Amino acid sequence: MDPRPIETALRVDVAAATTPDELEAVRVKYLGRKGVLTGFLRAIGQVQPEERPRLGAESNRLKTLCETLLAERAAELGVGDEVAYQRPIDGSLPATNGSVGRRHVISQTFRRIGSILEGMGYRLARGPEVELEYYNFQALNFPDEHPSRDLQDTFYVSNDILLRTHTSPIQVRFMQENKPPLKVYAPGRVYRNEAIDASHQAEFHQVEGLYIDTDVTMADLRGDLLLFLRELFGSDIQVRFKPHFFPFTEPSVDVDMSCFSCHGHGCAICGQSGWIEILGAGMVHPNVLRAVGIDPDRYSGFAFGVGVDRIAMIRYGVPDIRMFLTNDLRFLEQLTER
Ligand code: DAH
């Protein structure tokens, strides 16, 4: 009983197989119930007892070799897992971990902001990126001649359809369909015809907040923003309001937070001022409430708009807004959820 001719024939047969069916035929020829190796194993019973251990080991070796050759050939031929030529599994080998995807840093920031606001009682609202001019501007109390309506600032799809320039139109849509009290946040991508540089991009991301009820005041706005920013940047954050103008709020404010890095002393992150401009906000303009059929004498409310790219840049120390959409893996892989 010589195993060598069997091994040679096995190698030739495996190499000659070019289809899954031919491979299966080779498997049956060697490993099947009436196969060559099965016959070899049976024949061991006929030889001298002292010969048996060596031939038994040979038989095992040939069987493993056969399985290995079949599996390798199957892989070469691109035959999938459905064919049972798998190599015997060695559970002691180290795992080969494939690379695992992760959420984009902008998605991570959206989710962080969303989970904070949900914890504060805001519920999710959504709206379309291709929007009617009515919701993007008119209903938000933008005068007809407002410069942001200009082609230079807004991408128009047609006369009265555009790519939304902010997430504020979602406020209007939500108020149209729901009665106060209401408390929502609305995340999304927005578009502006910007001159592109390190802090401006033609597509970026915002989260809108809106709270309408009886007797809502600016103190409520301040309280919610303080809580929100402290969750996001740390419990010692302070906020300050500066007068500003938005058509859809009155009064309107620019909101600064104390620098999370130097705690107000002045550093490179806050431009030595101790404060970082972080979002816009205000009390919803009575005209906006009227446009959606909410009585401004009975209800009041506040709104705010957060720039998500800006938050991510500050949170992760990203120097250039364009890096978010360039999709350079060396950059993206550094930024994982903390
Ligand atoms: N929509 C504004 C923008 O894109 C951001 C904003 C400011 C939203 C104040 C608000 C707000 O709801 O009250 O610049």
Side-chain angles (χ1 to χ4, degrees):
M1 285 184 61
D2 185 356
R4 281 169 304 176
I6 297 178
E7 178 173 340
T8 308
L10 169 67
R11 288 182 183 279
V12 170
D13 284 348
V14 170
T18 55
T19 65
D21 284 346
E22 287 171 14
L23 266 186
E24 174 62 12
V26 176
R27 191 187 68 78
V28 171
K29 177 176 172 187
Y30 288 89
L31 299 174
R33 256 190 308 129
K34 296 182 181 156
V36 175
L37 296 181
T38 322
F40 185 87
L41 184 63
R42 249 187 238 123
I44 295 174
Q46 317 301 317
V47 302
Q48 299 297 323
E50 57 273 24
E51 280 287 291
R52 287 178 197 165
R54 186 181 63 80
L55 289 174
E58 271 306 320
S59 169
N60 283 337
R61 186 184 70 80
L62 282 175
K63 185 161 178 272
T64 307
L65 176 71
C66 182
E67 285 165 347
T68 306
L69 290 174
L70 286 170
E72 281 173 2
R73 186 66 181 144
E76 261 169 43
L77 296 175
V79 178
D81 292 342
E82 70 275 10
V83 183
Y85 301 122
Q86 271 101 350
R87 253 180 245 251
I89 292 169
D90 181 349
S92 68
L93 288 173
T96 51
N97 288 326
S99 60
V100 176
R102 66 193 81 193
R103 275 180 219 289
H104 190 279
V105 60
I106 292 294
S107 304
Q108 289 176 33
T109 309
F110 266 131
R111 287 165 73 95
R112 180 85 190 101
I113 291 172
S115 85
I116 294 170
L117 290 176
E118 278 176 22
M120 294 168 62
Y122 290 78
R123 54 177 272 226
L124 176 66
R126 294 230 177 240
E129 292 181 22
V130 180
E131 184 56 285
L132 291 169
E133 188 182 36
Y134 174 77
Y135 288 111
N136 198 83
F137 291 131
Q138 261 113 295
L140 286 164
N141 198 37
F142 280 77
D144 284 343
E145 69 285 3
H146 195 280
S148 66
R149 293 194 182 204
D150 202 294
L151 270 178
Q152 274 187 354
D153 298 297
T154 302
F155 291 114
Y156 279 85
V157 174
S158 67
N159 222 358
D160 56 352
I161 299 176
L162 43 72
L163 300 186
R164 69 178 175 204
T165 60
H166 50 181
T167 44
S168 304
I170 306 173
Q171 287 186 25
V172 182
R173 287 178 173 275
F174 195 85
M175 286 191 284
Q176 242 180 14
E177 278 166 21
N178 297 275
K179 292 209 175 334
L182 35 92
K183 197 168 197 186
V184 289
Y185 74 100
R189 182 173 276 195
V190 301
Y191 302 84
R192 279 182 212 172
N193 200 351
E194 295 275 9
I196 291 166
D197 62 29
S199 46
H200 296 90
Q201 194 153 243
E203 45 193 301
F204 53 102
H205 309 85
Q206 293 185 334
V207 174
E208 189 82 9
L210 176 74
Y211 175 40
I212 307 283
D213 201 344
T214 50
D215 304 316
V216 178
T217 70
M218 263 187 126
D220 298 310
L221 171 62
R222 200 187 128 81
D224 267 16
L225 290 180
L226 197 57
L227 194 57
F228 170 67
L229 291 170
R230 285 182 173 176
E231 287 288 327
L232 201 53
F233 286 104
S235 56
D236 60 342
I237 294 294
Q238 303 293 329
V239 297
R240 72 178 184 190
F241 285 0
K242 294 182 300 191
H244 197 68
F245 173 79
F246 297 106
F248 38 89
T249 44
E250 180 59 36
S252 305
V253 290
D254 242 354
V255 179
D256 289 355
M257 65 170 191
S258 56
C259 181
F260 63 92
S261 179
C262 64
H263 309 284
H265 297 297
C267 69
I269 289 177
C270 57
Q272 307 304 329
S273 71
W275 294 92
I276 297 175
E277 241 176 50
I278 196 78
L279 51 85
M283 302 306 291
V284 178
H285 197 291
N287 288 348
V288 176
L289 295 176
R290 268 183 219 111
V292 292
I294 293 177
D295 179 0
D297 292 325
R298 180 146 178 240
Y299 291 103
S300 57
F302 62 69
F304 56 90
V306 183
V308 174
D309 305 71
R310 184 164 162 71
I311 298 270
M313 287 170 83
I314 294 169
R315 222 164 115 80
Y316 296 99
V318 175
D320 191 323
I321 191 172
R322 289 170 290 195
M323 296 171 88
F324 292 131
L325 292 184
T326 315
N327 287 336
D328 182 334
L329 283 180
R330 291 167 302 179
F331 164 71
L332 294 175
E333 284 175 353
Q334 281 173 26
L335 303 176
T336 311
E337 185 73 299
R338 287 186 229 177

